Amino acid sequence: MQENQKEPRLIVETGLDLRIAEIIEPTLDAMDFRLVRVRLLNLNGLTLQVMCERNDGTMTVEDCEQVSMAISPVLDVEDPVDKAYHLEVSSPGIDRPMVRKSDFARWSGHIVKCETSILLDNRKRFRGKITEADDEGFTLERDQIGYGEEPRLRVPFTALAEAKLILTDDLIRDALRADKLAKAEAANQNDADED
């Protein structure tokens, strides 16, 4: 999945969160991680949440520690936050935010909740199964249809404001399968490197 490494995010932060993302993203790129989301929250004082993953979609506890140790000094030098904060590095999780075009292709067949910046079919909030995705957008098979609404809706990426996978048994099963495959590929790569 190396081709997705430099794929830009569709959904990016604003304000201070964006500034922090711009500071840490080059470090993450150099380590072969992709930034998913940055959020500065008023939790336990102030918490800076950084969500990222490897290019194959995996993220271990060790990866979180590695990323935390790499971005801490960068944040200390740039000092974008004028108060003390707690740095929290994590994976996007199974019910992940969908921030890249490839996320919609990868998780096709699963249920997503999304919000658009413009009205589509007289609404801005939608929920349903991703049935297809391409470079321009994705098609949603809605699970909540109002009177006179079409059961399928095309959502252009240019209209997308926010999207997140919904936790289901099928999603858990497929996420565990994908994680197992990625770990097997990594093990095979390590064996090949040793030969």
Side-chain angles (χ1 to χ4, degrees), residues 121-123 142 144-150:
D121 202 14
N122 293 316
R123 291 172 69 179
R142 292 156 46 161
Q144 301 163 342
I145 306 164
Y147 178 77
E149 293 180 333
E150 292 295 320

Side-chain angles (χ1 to χ4, degrees), residues 24 27 66-78 85 87 89:
I24 65 173
T27 303
Q66 188 182 359
V67 167
S68 181
M69 288 190 301
I71 65 174
S72 273
V74 176
L75 289 167
D76 288 346
V77 168
E78 293 291 329
Y85 62 89
L87 177 61
V89 176

